[in-house]
Each structure stands twice: as structure tokens, then as C-alpha cells.
Amino acid sequence: MSTFWIRALQLILALSFLVVIHELGHFAFARLFKVRVEKFYMFFNPQFSILRMKKINGKWRIKFFAKNVPYSMTEATDEQGTPLLDKKGKPVYRPMTEDELYALPEDDWRRYPDATEWGIGWLPFGGYCSIAGMVDETTAAGQLVSEPQPWEYRSKSTWQRLPIIIGGVLVNFVAALIIYSAILFTWGKEYLPLDNAVYGLQYSDVMLEQGFAQGDKIIAIGDRKPETTADLVQWMLIDGERNVTVLRGDDTLQLRLADDLDQLVLASGNTALVDFRFPFVVNEIIPDGAAAKALMMAGDSVIAVDGVATLAYQDVVAELQKHACDSVTVEFVRQGGTMTVRTYLGDEAKLGVYPNKPIDYLQTKKIEYGFFASIPAGIEYGWDVLVSYVKQFKLVFTKEGSKSLGGFGAIGSLFPPVWDWHSFWLMTAFLSIILAFMNIIPIPGLDGGHVFFLLWEMLTGKKPSDKFLEIVNTIGFYLLLALVIYANLNDILRLF
């Protein structure tokens, strides 16, 4: 399976899981307060659904690739049977009476409005939970009956409606904490401390422009000693610390970074500021590759390319890139002796080998957690991730930050190119944090928009009209849609 499909599958699986548990949060609180949930769908289902099912009289009814079922309502009429219209000339609806419901055919699911219809749509861009009496992306104000019904969302008090709204965000955040705890319990926490960077650090072009040199070791940022590369990114880009102390050989140097470093990094498109340097040692030879034709072997350690000394894996890659579609001499150490071969590189400028990994030479630190210790550690981990993301969010409102916005392609690229459950659950927990935070932002169309109007109602005692909510939710929906389109266009443009 190609790298693209492995990442795509991980993305779809993670987002599907997160959307379902988010909507289950709304569903659980709605049912707790005896509000009818008409439909619960993973993915959207315009016109028809891949799967529809409903529990009727104790038995599940299941249909595949079936047309959607309309809601259990009908157009309202006056005493003469003339359809009633609202101020804009649109039909006014009312719930079907019991007689009208029982007059429907036995297999018409509208006869059983109390039971939730569960389904899977065909448009994989999220999902929804259709709560009766709530104006949202699934229901317009004109579709509501004229008078609130006891089983509707709008008939409940504000203290009951608020948990229904924040239920999705709450479940996403709690789920992230549970996942992080489970990860720590199952795999522990393993990382490469900066103190163990025996070959120094590899810097991006932006960092080199700030005065760093390949192989420098960062020993302090401001008055703090960083432990991981994540600390470096957090403290320099997010916290805005600009004074850095580095060890270059035997010399200690002080560097002052540019005030607009965050914008320079975003403009470069490379937020991986630093990486660990390690030797280029062949682990496996790819048949018919340049190394195979030069009779190189597993265990060979490359020390020079075309006469240029290469002290680390990154140096070898950089030198090879200068010789695409050209012959090159490669110097390496084999069993204590130095050898030199000449070989031809293809257009990818690669030797055709799988090198050893950094952890083969750099000592990692691993912390194991028991079941009970993993719970507070997972909560702390999740909280730190949330705080860091909230701090990073400010960059979205900068010039370069808006250009760096990414859509599904950017999110998918965060997953590893090979299937790894540890990495998958780490990314899923991270996305759950993002989903929770983004949804609570007070923008119409998001959960935070509904929360804002509920808090307004609590403070003022005035409830916004259903029509007003429909208008602002529609505006919010199209703004969010425009943002999604913009982010995904950025992904497409970056491909070229």
C-alpha cells in the first residue's frame, strides 16, 4: 500500500472516530434530558444513505443504499384545509398526530419518531446528530413546528440546553486525556534528551540564517535549560524567547534571534527547526541501487562524498543532492579500514540504501507508567498539549500564519507513512484536542456559537429567535466552508 493511502486511511479512521464520539456527547446529554434525537449519522447523507437502521418494537430494521426518510412532520393547514405559510411564504410544519402516524405503512419509519435513526452517509466530511427542536446545520427555523413540544431541545431550560451543546466538546477533551493515559500505560514515554545529542543538532535554513551552525548544541534558551526538541520549538516560536546559548565545539556562544522569527519560520514552510545528527551507516542495500552496483555492504559508514567530509547522515544526503544524474565518489569505513568507490546516482540522487536509525547511536530516555500513575500523567500531558495549541493559535491571525493554514492534506501528512498504532493514537488524541478547542470558539455554526447565545440568554433573560439563529448559523456555516476551502486550496498550491 502506498504512503498516500496509509496516511489517508489513518486520517479517515481517526476523524471518523472523533466525529462519532463528539456527536455521542451531544446525544448522551440530549437523551439524559429526554430530548428526542431524530438522526445520528457518521458522514453526511444528501438524498440517500449507505446504511440506515432503527430499533422498532425491540427489533433492528436495517436498510442499505436507501433513500433518506423524511421527518415525522407534515404541513400545517387552517380549518378549511389551506396550507399555512410563514411571512416569507414558506410552509409551516406541525408534528403528525398519532392517527396520522398509525395511518402510515408499517414499514414507514416515520411511525416511530421516538426511536433514533442511525446511519452512515456517503459524503465523508464529518457527521451530525439531529436534535429535535434545535436550529442548526440540519434543521432550519421553518422546519420547526409552531409551538415547542415537550420533547424538543428548545422547550428545555438553559441549564439543560447548555450541557447538550458542550457535550461534544467535553467528550472530545476527555477522550484525548483517556487516550494519552492509555498511551503512557501501554508504551510509556520515550524521547531523545538534548543532552544525548552527541553528534550535535541539525538546523533548518532559517535557523542557520539566525547564526546557528550544523552540529551546535543548544544548552539554554533565555534562563531555561531545554530537555527536548519540543521545548526548543515551544520556547522560541510560541513563547517568543530570543536569547539562546549554544555550545560550538569547546566554545560557548550567545545568539540573539530575530524578533519576527515565527513569521520567518512560517514563511519558509518548514517548522522542523532542529533534528538530531547521527552517522550514515548502511543497514540494508536496495537491489540494483547505486550502492549495490558499487558493491557496498551493510555496516559501511559513509564519511565523505566527492572529497567533502560528511560527519553526519544529513551531510551525506546534502552532498548527494548536488550530484543527481552524475557519477560520484563515496568514501566509507568498513571493518576499521577506509574504502572509496565511484558510482552513478539517478535523478533522485540517492545511494539506494536503508541507513541505521538515530536511536541506534543516541541514547533515549524512557519513563514507564503503571495503571494508576498513567492517569494523572495522561491528564497533565493532555492539558500541556491544549495550552501549547492555544498559544500557537495566535499565529493563525498573522500574515504568514494564514498562508500556512492547511486542510485535510496537511493533517494527513502528520500521520506516519507506515502504520504504527502508537503514532496513530498520539495523532488521534492531538486531533481530539484540536476538535474540542476549535468547536468551543464562539463562532455561529460551531458549538461555541450556540454556547455564546445560551450565555447571552442566561445573562439577559432574552432568548434569540429561531429565525435569528438560523440566519447567523447559515452565515457561520458559509464562513467555515470558505475557511475549509481556503485551507485545502493551500494544500493544493503547496503541491506545485
Side-chain angles (χ1 to χ4, degrees):
M1 187 181 291
S2 70
T3 297
F4 171 82
W5 288 112
I6 291 174
R7 282 178 164 150
L9 185 59
Q10 291 181 87
L11 175 64
I12 292 172
L13 183 60
L15 291 182
S16 298
F17 169 73
L18 296 178
V19 167
V20 167
I21 64 171
H22 178 91
E23 299 301 337
L24 278 174
H26 294 308
F27 175 86
F29 281 103
R31 298 306 297 143
L32 177 65
F33 297 118
K34 302 187 186 311
V35 174
R36 184 181 293 172
V37 179
E38 294 158 332
K39 294 184 179 183
F40 187 105
Y41 266 74
M42 182 173 73
F43 306 151
F44 292 106
N45 59 323
Q47 303 303 320
F48 74 95
S49 308
I50 294 176
L51 170 69
R52 285 177 32 221
M53 58 185 188
K54 198 171 193 178
K55 195 172 186 179
I56 298 172
N57 297 327
K59 295 183 178 180
W60 283 100
R61 308 274 184 90
I62 302 175
K63 295 183 179 180
F64 295 95
F65 297 98
K67 289 184 179 180
N68 296 334
V69 176
Y71 293 100
S72 305
M73 293 192 294
T74 188
E75 291 185 12
T77 60
D78 58 20
E79 295 178 354
Q80 288 73 39
T82 304
L84 296 177
L85 304 176
D86 62 16
K87 294 180 180 179
K88 289 192 174 182
K90 295 183 179 180
V92 175
Y93 291 88
R94 63 169 177 79
M96 291 183 175
T97 64
E98 288 191 10
D99 290 340
E100 288 172 326
L101 289 173
Y102 286 120
L104 295 171
E106 178 69 25
D107 62 350
D108 192 322
W109 289 8
R110 289 178 298 172
R111 288 188 60 168
Y112 316 96
D114 289 336
T116 301
E117 177 187 326
W118 303 79
I120 300 176
W122 57 269
L123 195 60
F125 292 122
Y128 67 92
C129 177
S130 180
I131 298 174
M134 178 179 175
V135 177
D136 59 9
E137 68 275 9
T138 67
T139 307
Q143 294 177 279
L144 299 179
V145 297
S146 55
E147 294 297 328
Q149 303 299 308
W151 35 263
E152 285 188 319
Y153 165 86
R154 57 180 175 157
S155 69
K156 304 300 178 179
S157 63
T158 51
W159 73 266
Q160 290 176 317
R161 280 181 279 147
L162 186 60
I164 293 174
I165 291 300
I166 66 175
V169 168
L170 179 64
V171 168
N172 276 132
F173 183 63
V174 172
L177 301 184
I178 292 174
I179 293 172
Y180 281 131
S181 298
I183 289 171
L184 294 178
F185 173 68
T186 304
W187 290 285
K189 182 180 181 182
E190 187 174 14
Y191 61 95
L192 272 172
L194 289 173
D195 285 343
N196 294 350
V198 294
Y199 300 95
L201 297 174
Q202 182 76 13
Y203 297 89
S204 66
D205 290 341
V206 171
M207 297 296 279
L208 294 176
E209 293 169 359
Q210 299 301 306
F212 292 95
Q214 304 296 16
D216 283 354
K217 298 178 182 180
I218 297 178
I219 56 178
I221 298 179
D223 56 359
R224 293 183 289 179
K225 175 180 171 58
E227 185 177 10
T228 67
T229 55
D231 291 339
L232 302 182
V233 176
Q234 176 73 33
W235 297 353
M236 288 189 288
L237 288 191
I238 311 305
D239 295 346
E241 182 59 62
R242 295 293 181 256
N243 295 309
V244 182
T245 305
V246 302
L247 183 64
R248 183 175 298 169
D250 296 326
D251 299 326
T252 300
L253 306 175
Q254 299 292 330
L255 299 181
R256 171 68 187 179
L257 309 182
D259 292 335
D260 61 345
L261 176 64
D262 53 351
Q263 297 301 293
L264 294 173
V265 171
L266 291 173
S268 73
N270 181 16
T271 56
L273 306 185
V274 299
D275 199 359
F276 289 89
R277 287 166 65 84
F278 60 99
F280 192 115
V281 179
V282 178
N283 179 271
E284 183 181 347
I285 302 290
I286 299 175
D288 299 323
K293 293 175 181 178
L295 301 180
M296 292 181 67
M297 299 172 58
D300 290 347
S301 178
V302 180
I303 59 173
V305 175
D306 236 32
V308 178
T310 52
L311 304 179
Y313 165 84
Q314 294 89 344
D315 298 334
V316 176
V317 172
E319 287 303 317
L320 290 175
Q321 288 296 320
K322 299 176 182 178
H323 300 279
C325 300
D326 192 10
S327 293
V328 63
T329 57
V330 179
E331 188 176 348
F332 55 89
V333 175
R334 176 184 295 173
Q335 297 178 349
T338 301
M339 300 181 64
T340 301
V341 296
R342 189 165 187 84
T343 187
Y344 179 81
L345 303 179
D347 55 3
E348 292 185 350
K350 294 182 178 180
L351 279 178
V353 303
Y354 293 112
N356 287 345
K357 299 177 181 179
I359 58 175
D360 293 326
Y361 308 99
L362 306 176
Q363 183 65 43
T364 62
K365 182 178 181 180
K366 186 170 184 178
I367 305 173
E368 301 283 358
Y369 295 89
F371 177 77
F372 293 105
S374 68
I375 297 174
I379 293 173
E380 182 181 5
Y381 194 138
W383 181 255
D384 289 343
V385 170
L386 175 62
V387 171
S388 177
Y389 184 76
V390 172
K391 288 181 178 180
Q392 294 177 48
F393 193 69
K394 66 182 181 182
L395 298 177
V396 173
F397 302 99
T398 64
K399 178 182 177 181
E400 297 300 336
S402 62
K403 292 179 182 179
S404 67
L405 280 175
F408 295 115
I411 298 173
S413 66
L414 298 176
F415 286 92
V418 294
W419 196 280
D420 178 76
W421 282 112
H422 177 249
S423 299
F424 171 81
W425 284 115
L426 273 176
M427 270 306 306
T428 300
F430 178 58
L431 292 178
S432 196
I433 293 281
I434 294 177
L435 187 60
F437 172 71
M438 295 298 292
N439 256 290
I440 206 62
I441 296 175
I443 298 176
L446 296 176
D447 293 342
H450 291 284
V451 170
F452 175 82
F453 291 118
L454 276 173
L455 294 178
W456 173 266
E457 183 181 345
M458 289 178 175
L459 292 173
T460 66
K462 297 179 181 179
K463 182 179 180 181
S465 69
D466 292 333
K467 191 60 183 177
F468 172 78
L469 292 176
E470 179 188 355
I471 293 172
V472 295
N473 280 333
T474 300
I475 294 173
F477 172 78
Y478 283 110
L479 286 175
L480 292 171
L481 181 61
L483 181 61
V484 170
I485 293 173
Y486 172 78
N488 283 282
L489 279 176
N490 278 348
D491 285 347
I492 296 172
L493 291 175
R494 277 191 281 268
L495 292 175
F496 301 98

